[in-house]
Structure formats: structure tokens, C-alpha cells
Amino acid sequence: MDISARAIAAAWLNARRHRVRLRLRRGDIRTLHGQQYDVILSNPPYVPSMRARVTGAARAWDAGIDGRQVLDPLCRSAARLLRPGGFLLLVQSALSGPDLSVRMLREAGLQADIVERRTLPFGPVLRSRVTWLERRGLIEPGERVEELVMIRAER
């Protein structure tokens, strides 16, 4: 599931190219009711934003003041969205509280852990707001790398 028609088209093309059967849905995590999945792959918006409401292309990366506008509903919904034996793979920035995501997933009854960490130089979005991130204490002065984590949660 993705809100972006382009992301759905890319996933469909990749699945077809690799002969993988997928059921793809366009929409928002908050609109899923009564459906369960074997696998949920998620690289949601997770970048802390200076704006509480996000519109346009920025919806692909901006996720509210704390970066959790999509992460929190996803973590709250994951257990009911996964079939028994199903799993979630979630990518997020250390700037948006991966330990909170793990805790929320565990509190929802899933087995959850950070399974991978990578440090990368800031991309254009984070570079454009370093002063704001420093003022909020989300990064140290002069820090220009971001840690990305992958969380695996199993039902």
C-alpha cells in the first residue's frame, strides 16, 4: 500500500519483472480495515518538519514536527494488519525515535527489534534544515550524517 500512484506503479513493474505475485493497494495506512497481510514493507515519511501539516511532494519525506505523523499510526496498526506469522520491515531515521517505534510495536504484541543500522550523509532535505534541527537539539552542531535503521516486527 502506498498513497503514491507512482510508487504503486513501480512496485507493480518490479514484481512483474521478477515474477513475484503481489497484491498492491493505493491508500493510506489509516484507511485499512479488515485486511491482513503476510508482509508489510514500509519506508514511510519520517523526517521531522517545521510544519505540522504537510502537503504536495513533501508528503514523501516530511512527517510532522516530531517525524512520527505516519510512524505512530503504522506502529499502532501493524499487529492487526499482519496475519499470524507475518512480518513488518520498517525503515526510519534515528531522528524520529526508532526506540519508540520498537516499544510501540512490542506493546501491540509483536516481536520487534532493530535489525540493521546505516549511517549516511544528509540528503538535500536534511541539509536544508540543519539550523532548525540543531536548534531543536535533534542533531549536534555540525553534525551532517543521519542514521537509518531497519526494524523487523513479527506477529
Side-chain angles (χ1 to χ4, degrees):
M1 166 160 308
D2 203 299
I3 200 164
S4 165
R6 287 182 179 174
I8 294 294
W12 182 85
L13 287 170
N14 280 318
R16 185 175 174 132
R17 179 175 167 229
H18 295 286
R19 296 185 179 111
V20 174
R21 280 189 46 206
L22 285 182
R23 183 173 46 156
L24 299 166
R25 300 282 184 259
R26 182 166 184 235
D28 186 303
I29 191 77
R30 293 166 273 224
T31 64
L32 288 176
H33 301 288
Q35 300 172 31
Q36 289 190 312
Y37 300 89
D38 297 315
V39 178
I40 299 172
L41 304 174
S42 185
N43 183 4
Y46 53 68
V47 176
S49 170
M50 295 175 260
R51 297 169 295 180
R53 303 251 335 135
V54 180
T55 60
R59 290 184 314 168
W61 55 83
D62 280 352
I65 299 296
D66 62 0
R68 300 203 54 90
Q69 197 168 40
V70 178
L71 287 166
D72 287 346
L74 175 61
C75 290
R76 283 192 297 269
S77 302
R80 74 172 169 78
L81 293 173
L82 288 170
R83 286 190 177 107
F87 67 92
L88 161 75
L89 292 177
L90 167 65
V91 175
Q92 77 172 84
S93 172
L95 296 175
S96 54
D99 292 334
L100 176 56
S101 296
V102 169
R103 187 172 75 241
M104 288 178 74
L105 291 163
R106 288 177 178 168
E107 287 172 357
L110 300 173
Q111 296 176 9
D113 287 296
I114 295 172
V115 295
E116 186 73 35
R117 296 177 182 272
R118 296 284 165 101
T119 302
L120 303 168
F122 281 174
V125 172
L126 288 179
R127 282 196 310 265
S128 74
R129 55 185 74 158
V130 293
T131 303
W132 180 78
L133 292 167
E134 288 174 348
R135 273 199 320 263
R136 289 203 57 222
L138 294 172
I139 62 171
E140 296 295 322
E143 185 177 343
R144 299 299 181 266
V145 294
E146 172 186 27
E147 182 181 50
L148 297 179
V149 302
M150 179 176 289
I151 298 170
R152 180 181 174 105
E154 299 177 25
R155 181 161 180 224

